Amino acid sequence: MSDLRFSANLGFLWTDRSLPDAVRAAKVAGFEAVELHWPYETDTAQLKAALAETGLPVLGVNTLRGDVAAGEFGLAAVPGREEEARRYFERALGYAEAIGVANIHVMAGKSEGTAARQCFIDHLRWARDLAAPKGVGILIEPLNLRDVPGYFLTDCAAAADIVADCGGSGIRIMFDCYHMQIMGGDIVSRFQRFRDVIGHVQFAAVPDRTEPDHGELDHAWLLPELLRAGWHGFFGAEYKPRGKTDIGLNWMTQFR
Ligand SMILES: O=C(O)[C@H](O)C(=O)CO
Ligand SMILES: [Mg+2]
């Protein structure tokens, strides 16, 4: 593999296997890290064993979204839901400590306005102060409004302001090229502008969020360009395979 290091997002990849077996599959495919969405039903001992066996680090887990059937997508920026949001964070932190996870993605939820922003900031400060002594960082991710109408956080500038208002340390932006392209594009200059507060990068084809081998974004150009723009971390493959995950992995060969 070139200088690019890839992380397999197991919320989308190898979902036909148990999570421990998905970790093993990621290792065989050449990924150098994994990231999870909501692994909470998976036994931590079994997951830990697969991680130890493969040596893959876990870059992140998400806080729970709430009542998904009712359209909820996180609670951290939803006034009136503060206690539940804190319980979700504590659950994520407990799981992160049990298996060893670098970051928790705190999901903001659907809301708007100054009360929602203040609610999010209060939650993030509290969460960061709880997680930092345990060596766990916080990520916040602007999402696109086409997939998640009404989501509170949709824009890097707003996310960077929130990080600053939280005091700057321990909280970073998850820069997902898929969402960024849908919410205005200009990905490389946006990355450069917010580089100092970016803590993870993800990608997928736009517009269909499948393998990064077609569509609006030329990943063979974009990902090395982000390295040139100063990114030193992993690139999270957060796409929904068109078929079996293994069959769609040819996109990786262009980076070898
Ligand atoms: O959908 C995404 O891009 C996220 O990274 C996520 O974790 C859940 O929405
Ligand atoms: Mg993402």
Side-chain angles (χ1 to χ4, degrees):
M1 202 64 64
S2 63
D3 290 344
L4 287 90
R5 295 179 298 153
F6 291 108
S7 162
N9 189 299
L10 302 183
F12 286 162
L13 304 184
W14 291 289
T15 54
D16 53 346
R17 305 185 189 195
S18 71
L19 207 43
D21 282 349
V23 170
R24 295 183 180 100
K27 174 73 177 181
V28 171
F31 287 95
E32 296 179 70
V34 294
E35 52 198 66
L36 314 173
H37 277 166
W38 301 281
Y40 304 107
E41 300 309 318
T42 301
D43 177 67
T44 53
Q46 288 180 18
L47 187 51
K48 224 175 144 178
L51 293 166
E53 190 185 309
T54 57
L56 296 182
V58 186
L59 305 185
V61 294
N62 292 351
T63 55
L64 287 165
R65 287 169 291 181
D67 185 349
V68 178
E72 290 184 341
F73 221 74
L75 298 177
V78 182
R81 307 291 295 276
E82 289 86 348
E83 282 311 311
E84 287 161 278
R86 286 186 176 213
R87 281 207 304 278
Y88 286 171
F89 185 80
E90 284 164 349
R91 186 160 180 199
L93 186 57
Y95 201 92
E97 284 187 274
I99 63 164
V101 176
N103 294 295
I104 295 173
H105 167 205
V106 172
M107 302 212 53
K110 296 177 178 177
S111 58
E112 62 181 348
T114 50
R117 185 176 189 277
Q118 192 56 49
C119 176
F120 197 30
I121 287 172
D122 291 344
H123 179 85
L124 289 170
R125 285 182 176 147
W126 167 85
R128 184 262 321 277
D129 292 347
L130 207 61
K134 300 173 192 294
V136 178
I138 306 291
L139 293 173
I140 57 175
E141 181 182 27
L143 301 182
N144 81 77
L145 283 170
R146 190 161 69 206
D147 290 356
V148 193
Y151 197 69
F152 174 77
L153 194 64
T154 61
D155 163 57
C156 266
D161 282 348
I162 286 170
V163 171
D165 286 355
C166 287
S169 71
I171 305 172
R172 290 289 174 267
I173 298 172
M174 182 132 77
F175 186 90
D176 188 331
C177 300
Y178 165 78
H179 295 297
M180 292 298 105
Q181 172 68 2
I182 295 171
M183 294 303 286
D186 200 20
I187 292 179
V188 175
S189 27
R190 265 206 277 180
F191 176 86
Q192 284 167 330
R193 195 161 352 128
F194 299 107
R195 168 69 197 92
D196 291 348
V197 280
I198 290 173
H200 188 43
V201 173
Q202 297 174 320
F203 63 96
V206 180
D208 66 7
R209 210 176 195 184
T210 62
E211 281 86 349
D213 55 9
H214 69 291
E216 292 174 16
L217 296 177
D218 176 4
H219 288 88
W221 179 84
L222 175 64
L223 301 187
E225 194 62 25
L226 293 180
L227 283 186
R228 280 188 284 276
W231 179 241
H232 302 297
F234 291 90
F235 290 94
E238 193 184 34
Y239 64 85
K240 299 175 183 175
R242 292 186 284 266
K244 291 272 186 200
T245 301
D246 283 311
I247 291 173
L249 289 174
N250 276 348
W251 62 268
M252 289 179 91
T253 59
Q254 67 195 313
F255 300 107
R256 289 211 165 99

